[in-house]
Amino acid sequence: MRGSRPPHLMDLKETFARNVRLTRTKKRWSQEELGERSGLTRNYIGMIERSETSASIDAIEAVADALGVLASDLLKK
């Protein structure tokens, strides 16, 4: 249950958001550039990075491929 989880533990959506943002900024890419490279919109990338949406498996794969990393790396805490 989500409500019983200690607040210091990040959920998977937040972990993915953090890892996408960190990886993107290390490459010095804008959200727009990541969107273009992944085939997703800048707005959607922003929503992912703010944990406002749960990315589909297809979107996770597209972002990982664009960033040149394994999808599993973006999901690691």
Side-chain angles (χ1 to χ4, degrees), residues 11-46:
D11 71 10
L12 197 54
K13 184 168 58 171
E14 292 168 335
T15 299
F16 182 66
R18 183 198 66 217
N19 290 337
V20 168
R21 184 180 302 109
L22 287 173
T23 306
R24 177 183 61 76
T25 57
K26 282 181 186 176
K27 292 181 174 288
R28 298 180 183 207
W29 290 357
S30 65
Q31 289 178 346
E32 185 172 3
E33 184 166 358
L34 177 54
E36 289 172 3
R37 290 173 180 255
S38 65
L40 304 170
T41 67
R42 178 194 55 80
N43 288 338
Y44 189 64
I45 297 295

